[in-house]
Amino acid sequence: MMKNKLNVRNTIITMIVVVFTFVFINACKRESLTLTTTDDVNITGYLDRYPEQFSMMKQIMDRSATTGFLGAYGKYTLFTPDNTAITAWLKAKGKSAVADLTVDEARDMIKFHLLPDTVATNRFTDGKLPQITLYGQYLQTGAVNQGGVSSYVVNKLAKVIKSNIRVGNGIIHVLDHVLSPATLTLAKSIEANSRYSYFTQALKETGFYDSLNIDGAAAKDTTRRFQTLILESDSALKAAGYSNYASFKNRYSKTGDPKNHADSLWLYMAYHISTGPSYTPDIITSPAIYTLAPKEIITTKFAGQRILLNEDEFNGVVEPGVEINRTYSDVTASNGVAHEVKKPFAIKVRVQTAVYFDVSDHADLRINPKWRGAAAGTIPLNANGLSTVNGLMFGNDLSKVSQPNNYERVIVPNATRKYAYNDFFNLSMGASTARIQYIDIRTPMLVKGKYKIWICYAQNGSSNLFQVGVDVGRPGEQILPNLVDFRQYLGSSGITSTTATLPSADALMLTNGYKRYMATTADYQGTARGEVSVNGTGWDQLVGRLAGTADIQTTDRHWVRLTVVSNAGSNNATYLDMIHFIPVDADQNYPRFSTFGTVFNRP
């Protein structure tokens, strides 16, 4: 009797803790969830309590010998089909009762419906769940709308008819269908589909069929446990002019040995494969897909409801990409996921070229009516939420930066300062938490190769000293050797600082890691530094400072980080204008730029 009372008390205490934790975590979120509170201490206890719905699932647990650990304390998420769903599943398998299942069949069924973590519906995404099942494959979640009612679906089949049932050792979601794991590898599933005979043959001839035919659980290389394959259908290849597989092979295989890693057909197929299971939501949120082709990536873009690959702007020209065919995508295999594209695509061969990046020119600013407008004005970065967009990331929360509203902004245009394209970033940066400590800026497309990187700015005696890095905290991270002092200015006598004055001749300045980047005297000189006044108003002068040489390993958009390394200035206002990425063997002095966008090449 005493033992029963203790069990009841422990049960009540457990549920109070569970409910309190749930309320506390979700107090700030408003969600429409079907919540059920139960005083059962575990998953099996809940199934036992409702035999009219779950007796068959409990029988499968008993047969699979999983009842024991699911009756103990822990953290699990069970997607349980009800009796109706299990009856239909057994019938489809030619079985009349749970007893007809082998122990292995019963165990695999439980493992595929079970996650080793608590995952409520507020963690569902339009894609794979964050945790893998005990079976070893991911589950996909999404949403459907029928008759004006939205429901979650799992693996594009099973509707969640009851969700977020919290028990002592986890969460239960009730399904109207039994989930079935993928049994074929990527290689076998492609081979079994008549849409992909070209690709099947190419996979075999290049050797990728074998590596894509290893079941995920058996993969010795853990990085290849799951892979992502982007497919091109026979019809798409025929529409591109390949009437048969032989014509496709002849177009790409130049060495006579498609297994040779230097062969273009091998590279073509490698470019369609990446490690890890990337479902369409993963592709949408990732700026690039890293492929098995050495140092080659696929860029991604989400436009409306279209997922585009390799749609890039390069040297001011938009290169059309290819669209993922979502009808034939997110196809799960035992060792990964496959997608189809509507048109063929290959590695883009580009020649390394200089990129002269106006930092105030990216898509999020272009939509603002003040961007490069006729009237002077500002575009506040913090007020418009631009600090969180893809092209700009700040080193701390802008809402906590204790500065007036005229900081963290783009100036467009300004009559008393002369900048390339008449705009610039005005940033309040410093080493204290009250100011921005660093800024990451997404670059335009850079072709792989070595570049000298020039930071082009307007001098301000109250600014600071900065360190420059490329892809900091990301693959290929590089810290450049030269610090950039935004207090230094370019005068008629050369670079001036508190410690040195350098020669003004272009060649000597270049030797010391400085240059003029503005085109005319009217652009880079002003009365503020004792120069000839052009319009009667002084302005700070502009200077290009060499941060160092970076070895860009992949053709892609990268990140440049400017980090404050000393609080030398008084108000910390930093005026950033351009960043030049110039191949090491190219002209570093020209072209030059004007306030109104005219580009001046070497005379």
Side-chain angles (χ1 to χ4, degrees):
M1 183 68 176
M2 178 63 69
K3 183 177 180 180
N4 289 338
K5 288 183 178 179
L6 288 173
N7 285 340
V8 171
R9 186 185 66 179
N10 290 340
T11 298
I12 293 172
I13 292 172
T14 299
M15 290 314 304
I16 289 173
V17 171
V18 169
V19 172
F20 175 81
T21 302
F22 175 79
V23 171
F24 178 80
I25 292 174
N26 293 277
C28 297
K29 296 183 178 180
R30 298 189 64 182
E31 297 181 273
S32 297
L33 303 178
T34 306
L35 300 175
T36 301
T37 301
T38 174
D39 57 3
D40 295 306
V41 294
N42 52 44
I43 288 172
T44 56
Y46 182 82
L47 300 183
D48 279 335
R49 183 173 180 178
Y50 301 99
E52 70 282 0
Q53 297 180 62
F54 307 117
S55 61
M56 299 183 76
M57 189 64 170
K58 182 59 166 50
Q59 291 173 33
I60 296 174
M61 285 183 180
D62 293 340
R63 186 157 183 77
S64 65
T66 57
T67 305
F69 77 85
L70 288 175
Y73 286 97
K75 293 183 177 181
Y76 303 103
T77 298
L78 177 67
F79 291 86
T80 180
D82 59 15
N83 287 345
T84 302
I86 293 177
T87 299
W89 174 66
L90 290 171
K91 183 178 180 180
K93 293 173 68 69
K95 302 179 185 296
S96 58
V98 170
D100 296 332
L101 295 172
T102 66
V103 173
D104 287 340
E105 286 175 327
R107 185 178 296 116
D108 286 346
M109 188 273 193
I110 295 297
K111 288 165 63 178
F112 191 61
H113 289 75
L114 192 65
L115 306 181
D117 192 10
T118 51
V119 180
T121 53
N122 61 359
R123 294 178 65 188
F124 286 11
T125 63
D126 184 17
K128 70 179 187 293
L129 289 176
Q131 282 283 356
I132 197 170
T133 66
L134 293 186
Y135 183 85
Q137 292 182 18
Y138 285 96
L139 298 180
Q140 295 181 64
T141 55
V144 296
N145 188 288
Q146 296 176 337
V149 177
S150 295
S151 304
Y152 290 109
V153 291
V154 182
N155 283 9
K156 301 181 180 181
L157 170 69
K159 185 184 296 184
V160 178
I161 55 179
K162 198 172 186 179
S163 61
N164 301 319
I165 304 167
R166 294 181 173 267
V167 292
N169 60 346
I171 293 177
I172 297 173
H173 305 291
V174 182
L175 305 179
D176 68 350
H177 282 77
V178 174
L179 304 173
S180 297
T183 57
L184 297 179
T185 63
L186 281 166
K188 290 293 186 183
S189 63
I190 301 310
E191 185 177 25
N193 194 325
S194 60
R195 293 178 62 84
Y196 309 117
S197 66
Y198 283 32
F199 243 64
T200 299
Q201 188 64 22
L203 288 172
K204 289 181 176 180
E205 294 201 25
T206 55
F208 285 112
Y209 183 94
D210 294 335
S211 61
L212 294 174
N213 196 33
I214 301 173
D215 188 87
K220 294 181 180 179
D221 183 353
T222 56
T223 65
R224 300 287 185 88
R225 181 180 181 185
F226 297 105
Q227 300 185 71
T228 299
L229 176 62
I230 300 176
L231 295 161
E232 295 162 2
S233 67
D234 293 354
S235 58
L237 289 166
K238 288 176 181 177
Y242 305 111
S243 58
N244 51 45
Y245 173 73
S247 63
F248 172 66
K249 178 182 177 180
N250 291 337
R251 166 66 177 82
Y252 288 103
S253 183
K254 303 301 182 183
T255 68
D257 178 14
K259 287 186 172 65
N260 185 331
H261 290 197
D263 187 81
S264 296
L265 183 60
W266 187 93
L267 289 169
Y268 187 96
M269 299 307 291
Y271 192 56
H272 288 70
I273 305 170
S274 66
T275 57
S278 295
Y279 288 80
T280 50
D282 303 312
I283 293 174
I284 290 170
T285 56
S286 174
I289 300 171
Y290 289 81
T291 73
L292 297 189
K295 299 180 181 179
E296 296 292 348
I297 58 97
I298 299 169
T299 61
T300 64
K301 182 178 181 180
F302 190 51
Q305 296 301 311
R306 301 165 66 224
I307 304 174
L308 301 173
L309 306 180
N310 281 353
E311 177 150 304
D312 306 313
E313 182 176 328
F314 184 63
N315 271 353
V317 178
V318 176
E319 301 172 342
V322 297
E323 183 182 354
I324 286 181
N325 187 344
R326 300 183 77 166
T327 302
Y328 296 98
S329 295
D330 285 333
V331 178
T332 298
S334 64
N335 59 343
V337 59
H339 308 283
E340 182 184 299
V341 287
K342 294 183 177 181
K343 293 181 180 180
F345 70 100
I347 296 173
K348 290 188 176 182
V349 179
R350 295 189 178 99
V351 177
Q352 188 184 10
T353 186
V355 174
Y356 304 95
F357 176 34
D358 176 19
V359 295
S360 299
D361 182 10
H362 61 81
D364 303 292
L365 290 173
R366 292 176 192 170
I367 62 176
N368 193 296
K370 290 185 178 180
W371 185 78
R372 292 187 181 172
T378 65
I379 302 175
L381 300 178
N382 49 357
N384 291 346
L386 294 180
S387 60
T388 60
V389 300
N390 200 30
L392 204 62
M393 295 175 63
F394 289 108
N396 51 331
D397 186 353
L398 280 183
S399 66
K400 297 178 181 178
V401 175
S402 56
Q403 293 297 321
N405 291 331
N406 63 332
Y407 289 89
E408 296 83 56
R409 60 180 180 163
V410 175
I411 311 298
V412 287
N414 189 288
T416 60
R417 295 184 183 275
K418 301 299 182 182
Y419 299 89
Y421 303 100
N422 216 9
D423 55 18
F424 68 100
F425 275 172
N426 181 11
L427 302 166
S428 177
M429 303 185 71
S432 71
T433 57
R435 299 181 185 272
I436 300 171
Q437 296 156 20
Y438 69 81
I439 181 174
D440 282 348
I441 302 175
R442 192 82 186 278
T443 74
M445 181 72 69
L446 299 175
V447 176
K448 57 187 176 183
K450 291 185 177 181
Y451 294 85
K452 290 188 176 182
I453 297 181
W454 296 86
I455 305 300
C456 302
Y457 63 88
Q459 185 272 349
N460 180 11
S462 298
S463 187
N464 282 312
L465 192 65
F466 287 80
Q467 182 185 71
V468 181
V470 177
D471 292 327
V472 178
R474 302 172 177 89
E477 174 179 338
Q478 299 172 69
I479 302 299
L480 303 186
N482 299 334
L483 297 179
V484 179
D485 190 343
F486 279 66
R487 297 169 299 167
Q488 292 180 319
Y489 61 87
L490 178 61
S492 59
S493 59
I495 290 292
T496 302
S497 70
T498 57
T499 58
T501 299
L502 301 177
S504 60
D506 282 347
L508 292 176
M509 289 177 60
L510 203 63
T511 299
N512 287 277
Y514 296 89
K515 71 172 183 176
R516 288 188 173 96
Y517 71 96
M518 295 299 286
T520 67
T521 302
D523 287 325
Y524 62 75
Q525 291 185 346
T527 57
R529 300 294 167 231
E531 309 297 342
V532 178
S533 175
V534 176
N535 61 3
T537 306
W539 52 81
D540 291 326
Q541 295 174 348
L542 286 87
V543 56
R545 172 63 166 131
L546 178 65
T549 299
D551 187 0
I552 302 299
Q553 293 289 312
T554 57
T555 299
D556 192 6
R557 298 177 66 194
H558 293 266
W559 292 90
V560 171
R561 174 174 293 186
L562 273 66
T563 304
V564 178
V565 294
S566 77
N567 269 332
S570 58
N571 65 24
N572 307 116
T574 298
Y575 306 145
L576 181 62
D577 191 14
M578 298 186 78
I579 303 177
H580 293 178
F581 305 88
I582 306 177
V584 293
D585 56 355
D587 188 345
Q588 304 295 316
N589 259 321
Y590 285 88
R592 293 180 178 176
F593 302 85
S594 72
T595 299
F596 299 104
T598 304
V599 177
F600 291 76
N601 293 310
R602 179 176 287 278

